Amino acid sequence: MVDADNNNPVHQVVIVGGGFGGLYAAKALKKADVNVTLIDKRNFHLFQPLLYQVATGALSPADISSPLRSVLSKSKNTKVRLGFVNDIDTVAQNVMVGDETIHYDTLIVATGAKHSYFGKDNWEEFAPGLKTVEDAIEMRRRIFMAFEAAEKETDPEKRRAWLTFVIVGGGPTGVELAGAIAELANQTLKEDFRNIDTSEARILLLEGMERILPPFAPELSQAAETSLTQLGVLVQTKTMVTNIENGVVTIKQGDSVRELASKTILWAAGVKANPMGKVLAERTGAECDRLGRVIVEPDLSIQGHSHIFVVGDLANFSHQNGKPLPGVAPVAKQEGEYVAKLIQQRLKGDTLPQFNYTDHGNLAIIGQNSAVVDLGFIKLKGFFAWLFWLLIHIYFLIEFDNKIVVMIQWAWNYFTRNRGARLITGQESLAQVGIEDSKSSYNRQPINV
Amino acid sequence: MVDADNNNPVHQVVIVGGGFGGLYAAKALKKADVNVTLIDKRNFHLFQPLLYQVATGALSPADISSPLRSVLSKSKNTKVRLGFVNDIDTVAQNVMVGDETIHYDTLIVATGAKHSYFGKDNWEEFAPGLKTVEDAIEMRRRIFMAFEAAEKETDPEKRRAWLTFVIVGGGPTGVELAGAIAELANQTLKEDFRNIDTSEARILLLEGMERILPPFAPELSQAAETSLTQLGVLVQTKTMVTNIENGVVTIKQGDSVRELASKTILWAAGVKANPMGKVLAERTGAECDRLGRVIVEPDLSIQGHSHIFVVGDLANFSHQNGKPLPGVAPVAKQEGEYVAKLIQQRLKGDTLPQFNYTDHGNLAIIGQNSAVVDLGFIKLKGFFAWLFWLLIHIYFLIEFDNKIVVMIQWAWNYFTRNRGARLITGQESLAQVGIEDSKSSYNRQPINV
């Protein structure tokens, strides 16, 4: 299959990671005269921008996930390999998947980022972040369990802590989570409880900077803050989180330090690169930035390793305006497509000018009928921004998996103000109602692949 | 709230379990002059008849689940309480939820059944059953992981074991699982792999009796077997399972005993009553049958405890034709509604004739365009039976939660032969690709309610 001694060996492209960067690279190589192996530790691509909708009970994980094999089934030159890459041998040009080696002529590393606690990893237990399907299910469990616990709590102070939701980080994910929880409390759950008034829930959105949504134009940040406030969210800017413990977050505003009692603290503040960045740096001598992202050349390759590319959130590309490109889906997608094109040019003995990101703008949704859109040349807020957000997301979702169902689910949720996916699931959810032998009592059998 | 010394205390009805029996009892008490407390360990009602569709990647858990609070939000006399009932005090008339006691004047116990291994509980690890959302996710993981493992396996014998699926039990669930896995292998996944031909998968359906679907008319059992065979399922009747180990199932056919190598063994054979049956028996002196079901009076109460009722799969009601009613949703629903009506009659000083189950018949789906329907006076098979199955399930799903989306998902799956929910998720799914520190590394924080 892979044999460098062949007379006309087919060029082997290995892509590590099936997120936006890796998947769009693979798709763009569909008709290229190469063999592609896409390796991912999951069997599905996750549409991460909508993960907050899973965390807040509006969509199911499968609604925003597409089986990688299914997306790439028509790419006959492409193999999908479920597995975890634990090392790279840049001399023999192999990646190691378990005890198997897979040879590459060109390597594209697109393993992305995960949330980061700025060195305070012990905060994670008390303030989970949102990067994977499992994270979203866990966040969903905590949010809905908090209302359940408040319903049965008789001590007013404790009840208040159950009904206090703190979201750390005022970027798009934080804004989206805060808006969605406010809608849950004020609309979806309003008639469901008998002992509590869910609309008394306090939802705090904490941001260290001067304004939320820092990448947006200031007037849009202001519009978002106004919309959130109307939904009942308490937006606290210039607010630093100095400590997180079980049920208590310590905040610093100017010189004032205080503690907030909250049973549901959600982390939407920082990200860092996947550990693969460190592996790559060790194996290639590449430099990483302080977030662990690999600093790449103008063509997204690693210095001195022109056949190893890094795309998406794992890459630090600073050749456009001196600042690294942001870790968003459109950047990853364009980078993946660029590298796919460059590989094909090189096979023809040609090359490409340096990568150039076309920024189509920023969007963030706040709630129903409310979003902010910053396209540079035009700025939208309110209903039209919301409609625009909706159309863009439907377009991208449908592009590779025809997720018509999501559209209909959204329409349904919109008109009924309902969120049908508010399940509390997982073994923890049984343990916490006092079922010792929680599972149907068998040990999950590991399957090694 | 609950005070027996009041002048006009409102009659307190406590329902344990939010399955078909408990939920329909609660719904039928909506306008009654009683207070209702429905206690469940989950925050949602699960439409169990469709659980096999989650296990085979066609639907998401939320598609077949309805938040109990949402279903009952309009029943202003009804409280939902998330919790686990660990004991009942029949003298003081209290149920114990954790360390809290809830008083009842009338108690309805509807905690259902779980799968049973006929005393061979160690089989469960190797042959999981299908009763909860977590079971379905686990089954889904095993099914799709088996194809992934086969794709990378080079040893033909091991590959064959990965591509062998054994379903133990030829009742409706076994038939439905076998049919769905056959469609996966022959249609949905056909284009997705490069090293294996998924249609070479062997799917065996094992049944101990003379024919599959024993409750149906013999000609329908025959029709089901023919349809399954056409889908590529190997139906083996008069086949006893004598042992299950990791990857090996031992079967006995007549005097011949042989071992089947299969990495995916699924259990659809037996059920037994929830442990609450035993608690009830101890507290009331009621008798249980060999499956642990509580033997009930003609009005579904427990002998000597006219204010304690048992409905659904937990009850053994044999006053109609001498045989216990089957553990199916329509029985549970009618029993729940009967008890709700009886409570209201009693409050008026009246009573009701004994419970009488109206059997509308049996249905089982085999695959697309194929089902069997036995209504007694009419027997359907093939496309019309399938259409009938579809309409009935849509009717019941929509009845309490307007799950229009399921209808559309089905239509979509039907025309595309796709199954979008084939995700491999959960901590095990990461551990098994060799990620030691699998989770985003925090300990899930228990929340006690």
Side-chain angles (χ1 to χ4, degrees):
Chain A
M1 210 173 58
V2 177
D3 188 355
D5 297 328
N6 265 358
N7 283 334
N8 273 315
V10 177
H11 191 89
Q12 303 292 323
V13 179
V14 170
I15 303 171
V16 186
F20 286 100
L23 184 55
Y24 276 92
K27 281 163 64 83
L29 288 167
K30 180 178 177 180
K31 292 182 175 162
D33 188 19
V34 297
N35 284 335
V36 178
T37 305
L38 175 71
I39 308 168
D40 198 295
K41 60 188 179 190
R42 311 309 301 256
N43 76 328
F44 53 90
H45 168 79
L46 179 65
F47 197 88
Q48 268 181 358
L50 289 175
L51 205 49
Y52 83 96
Q53 296 218 354
V54 176
T56 53
L59 293 177
S60 286
D63 296 335
I64 60 162
S65 305
S66 308
L68 285 168
R69 293 190 185 283
S70 160
V71 177
L72 295 168
S73 70
K74 296 279 184 337
S75 299
K76 294 300 175 192
N77 64 346
T78 303
K79 277 187 184 182
V80 174
R81 174 69 167 81
L82 183 70
F84 177 63
V85 173
N86 40 32
D87 207 351
I88 295 167
D89 179 342
T90 55
V91 180
Q93 302 200 163
N94 288 324
V95 297
M96 264 63 91
V97 184
D99 47 11
E100 191 188 349
T101 60
I102 297 176
H103 180 74
Y104 65 82
D105 295 311
T106 298
L107 176 64
I108 304 174
V109 184
T111 53
K114 48 186 248 173
H115 40 264
S116 150
Y117 291 81
F118 312 125
K120 310 277 189 168
D121 288 349
N122 58 317
W123 292 3
E124 186 166 28
E125 182 180 347
F126 312 117
L130 189 59
K131 274 286 172 189
T132 67
V133 161
E134 286 77 10
D135 290 343
I137 299 290
E138 169 67 9
M139 220 179 241
R140 184 176 77 181
R141 179 179 78 85
R142 293 189 187 212
I143 293 168
F144 291 102
M145 195 54 97
F147 288 103
E148 295 293 337
E151 170 81 353
K152 75 150 284 224
E153 182 58 64
T154 48
D155 179 287
E157 200 175 322
K158 287 183 185 165
R159 178 181 278 187
R160 193 165 163 81
W162 281 118
L163 287 177
T164 300
F165 298 83
V166 175
I167 297 111
V168 184
T173 300
V175 165
E176 285 158 1
L177 278 173
I181 295 173
E183 287 187 342
L184 271 178
N186 295 320
Q187 294 171 9
T188 311
L189 299 181
K190 208 165 163 35
E191 304 293 317
D192 284 4
F193 291 84
R194 299 289 178 262
N195 303 333
I196 57 169
D197 178 355
T198 57
S199 65
E200 285 177 4
R202 286 191 306 165
I203 298 132
L204 288 96
L205 179 64
L206 312 183
E207 166 60 45
M209 311 270 260
E210 294 224 328
R211 56 191 176 91
I212 57 170
L213 298 178
F216 288 65
E219 63 263 40
L220 290 180
S221 293
Q222 185 52 52
E225 186 173 333
T226 306
S227 294
L228 284 170
T229 305
Q230 279 164 0
L231 278 173
V233 176
L234 300 163
V235 179
Q236 311 262 286
T237 53
K238 291 183 270 185
T239 302
M240 308 301 296
V241 169
T242 57
N243 194 29
I244 299 178
E245 285 167 43
N246 191 359
V248 183
V249 51
T250 308
I251 60 172
K252 188 164 179 288
Q253 295 172 308
D255 289 333
S256 132
V257 174
R258 67 195 172 103
E259 292 191 341
L260 283 168
S262 163
K263 288 291 201 178
T264 314
I265 307 166
L266 307 176
W267 188 259
V271 294
K272 66 178 176 205
N274 180 284
M276 184 51 67
K278 207 170 147 230
V279 174
L280 265 181
E282 278 171 18
R283 298 290 174 252
T284 64
E287 222 181 304
C288 289
D289 67 13
R290 66 185 177 84
L291 299 180
R293 294 177 296 191
V294 178
I295 291 168
V296 294
E297 297 289 284
D299 65 355
L300 296 164
S301 70
I302 292 179
Q303 195 173 32
H305 295 264
S306 62
H307 292 287
I308 302 180
F309 296 93
V310 186
V311 301
D313 290 4
L314 186 67
N316 174 329
F317 178 90
S318 308
H319 303 278
Q320 202 153 333
N321 57 11
K323 284 194 308 188
L325 291 177
V328 296
V331 169
K333 175 176 185 284
Q334 289 181 34
E335 290 180 344
E337 288 171 338
Y338 170 86
V339 171
K341 201 169 167 193
L342 179 56
I343 291 169
Q344 293 173 81
Q345 289 300 105
R346 282 188 185 173
L347 287 175
K348 289 190 258 176
D350 209 343
T351 187
L352 276 184
Q354 78 158 69
F355 173 69
N356 194 52
Y357 172 56
T358 310
D359 186 358
H360 295 295
N362 284 313
L363 345 171
I365 190 164
I366 295 145
Q368 277 177 0
N369 304 335
S370 179
V372 287
V373 173
D374 190 343
L375 305 182
F377 66 98
I378 190 172
K379 293 173 182 37
L380 301 170
K381 59 190 185 186
F383 179 75
F384 285 102
W386 175 80
L387 206 62
F388 185 83
W389 180 95
L390 208 65
L391 292 174
I392 288 288
H393 280 81
I394 288 169
Y395 172 80
F396 278 108
L397 270 178
I398 288 182
E399 192 183 17
F400 51 72
D401 199 26
N402 288 294
K403 293 225 168 269
I404 304 281
V405 174
V406 174
M407 221 166 71
I408 293 151
Q409 184 80 59
W410 276 341
W412 184 256
N413 292 351
Y414 179 76
F415 288 112
T416 63
R417 307 263 149 166
N418 200 353
R419 287 164 179 262
R422 44 188 203 271
L423 315 184
I424 299 174
T425 56
Q427 296 311 334
E428 296 79 13
S429 72
L430 292 170
Q432 72 201 21
V433 292
I435 304 176
E436 295 284 323
D437 182 16
S438 62
K439 50 265 195 31
S440 326
S441 77
Y442 51 94
N443 296 314
R444 311 292 181 176
Q445 180 194 10
I447 301 173
N448 294 310
V449 295
Chain B
M1 210 172 58
V2 177
D3 188 355
D5 298 327
N6 265 358
N7 283 335
N8 273 314
V10 179
H11 191 87
Q12 303 291 324
V13 179
V14 170
I15 303 171
V16 186
F20 286 99
L23 185 55
Y24 276 92
K27 281 163 63 83
L29 288 167
K30 180 179 175 177
K31 291 182 176 162
D33 189 19
V34 297
N35 284 335
V36 179
T37 304
L38 175 70
I39 307 169
D40 199 295
K41 59 188 178 188
R42 310 310 300 255
N43 76 328
F44 53 89
H45 168 80
L46 179 65
F47 197 88
Q48 268 180 0
L50 289 175
L51 205 49
Y52 83 96
Q53 296 220 354
V54 175
T56 54
L59 292 178
S60 286
D63 296 336
I64 61 162
S65 305
S66 308
L68 284 168
R69 293 191 184 283
S70 160
V71 177
L72 296 168
S73 70
K74 296 277 184 339
S75 299
K76 294 301 175 193
N77 64 347
T78 303
K79 278 188 185 184
V80 174
R81 174 72 166 78
L82 183 70
F84 177 62
V85 173
N86 41 32
D87 208 351
I88 295 167
D89 179 343
T90 55
V91 180
Q93 302 200 163
N94 288 325
V95 297
M96 264 63 91
V97 184
D99 47 11
E100 191 187 350
T101 60
I102 298 175
H103 180 75
Y104 64 82
D105 295 311
T106 298
L107 176 64
I108 305 174
V109 184
T111 52
K114 48 186 247 174
H115 38 267
S116 150
Y117 291 80
F118 312 125
K120 310 276 189 169
D121 288 348
N122 57 318
W123 292 2
E124 185 167 28
E125 181 179 349
F126 312 117
L130 190 59
K131 273 287 172 189
T132 67
V133 162
E134 286 78 10
D135 290 343
I137 299 290
E138 170 66 8
M139 219 178 243
R140 184 176 77 180
R141 178 178 78 84
R142 292 188 188 213
I143 293 168
F144 291 103
M145 195 53 99
F147 288 104
E148 295 292 336
E151 170 81 352
K152 75 150 285 221
E153 183 58 65
T154 49
D155 179 286
E157 200 176 320
K158 287 184 186 166
R159 180 182 277 185
R160 193 164 161 81
W162 281 118
L163 286 177
T164 300
F165 298 83
V166 175
I167 296 109
V168 185
T173 301
V175 166
E176 286 157 358
L177 278 173
I181 295 173
E183 287 187 341
L184 270 178
N186 296 319
Q187 294 169 10
T188 311
L189 299 181
K190 210 166 161 35
E191 304 293 318
D192 283 4
F193 292 84
R194 299 292 177 258
N195 304 332
I196 57 169
D197 177 355
T198 58
S199 65
E200 286 177 4
R202 286 192 307 164
I203 298 131
L204 288 95
L205 178 64
L206 312 182
E207 167 60 45
M209 310 271 259
E210 295 223 331
R211 54 189 175 94
I212 57 170
L213 298 177
F216 287 65
E219 63 264 40
L220 291 180
S221 293
Q222 186 51 53
E225 186 172 334
T226 307
S227 294
L228 284 171
T229 306
Q230 279 165 358
L231 278 173
V233 176
L234 300 162
V235 179
Q236 310 264 287
T237 53
K238 291 183 268 184
T239 302
M240 307 299 297
V241 169
T242 57
N243 194 30
I244 299 178
E245 285 167 41
N246 190 359
V248 183
V249 51
T250 309
I251 61 172
K252 188 164 179 288
Q253 294 173 309
D255 290 333
S256 132
V257 174
R258 64 193 172 103
E259 292 191 341
L260 283 167
S262 164
K263 288 290 200 178
T264 313
I265 307 165
L266 307 177
W267 188 258
V271 295
K272 65 177 177 207
N274 179 284
M276 184 51 68
K278 206 169 148 230
V279 174
L280 264 180
E282 280 171 18
R283 298 289 174 253
T284 63
E287 222 181 304
C288 290
D289 66 14
R290 65 184 177 85
L291 300 179
R293 292 178 298 191
V294 179
I295 291 168
V296 294
E297 297 289 286
D299 65 356
L300 297 164
S301 69
I302 292 179
Q303 194 172 31
H305 295 264
S306 62
H307 291 287
I308 302 181
F309 296 93
V310 186
V311 301
D313 290 5
L314 187 67
N316 175 329
F317 177 90
S318 308
H319 303 278
Q320 202 153 333
N321 57 9
K323 283 193 308 186
L325 292 176
V328 296
V331 170
K333 175 176 185 287
Q334 289 180 33
E335 289 180 345
E337 287 171 340
Y338 170 86
V339 171
K341 200 168 167 193
L342 179 56
I343 290 169
Q344 293 172 80
Q345 289 300 105
R346 284 189 185 172
L347 286 175
K348 288 190 260 176
D350 209 343
T351 186
L352 276 184
Q354 79 159 68
F355 172 69
N356 194 52
Y357 172 57
T358 310
D359 187 358
H360 296 294
N362 284 314
L363 344 172
I365 190 163
I366 295 145
Q368 278 177 0
N369 303 336
S370 179
V372 287
V373 173
D374 190 343
L375 305 182
F377 66 98
I378 189 172
K379 293 173 183 37
L380 301 171
K381 58 188 183 189
F383 179 75
F384 285 103
W386 175 79
L387 206 63
F388 186 83
W389 181 95
L390 208 66
L391 291 174
I392 288 288
H393 280 80
I394 287 169
Y395 172 79
F396 278 109
L397 269 178
I398 287 182
E399 191 184 16
F400 51 73
D401 197 26
N402 288 294
K403 295 225 170 269
I404 305 280
V405 174
V406 174
M407 221 166 71
I408 293 152
Q409 183 81 58
W410 276 341
W412 184 256
N413 292 351
Y414 180 77
F415 288 111
T416 62
R417 307 263 149 166
N418 200 354
R419 288 165 178 262
R422 45 189 204 270
L423 314 185
I424 299 173
T425 55
Q427 296 311 333
E428 296 80 12
S429 72
L430 292 171
Q432 73 202 19
V433 292
I435 304 176
E436 295 284 323
D437 182 16
S438 62
K439 48 260 200 38
S440 326
S441 77
Y442 51 94
N443 295 314
R444 311 292 180 176
Q445 180 194 9
I447 300 172
N448 295 310
V449 293

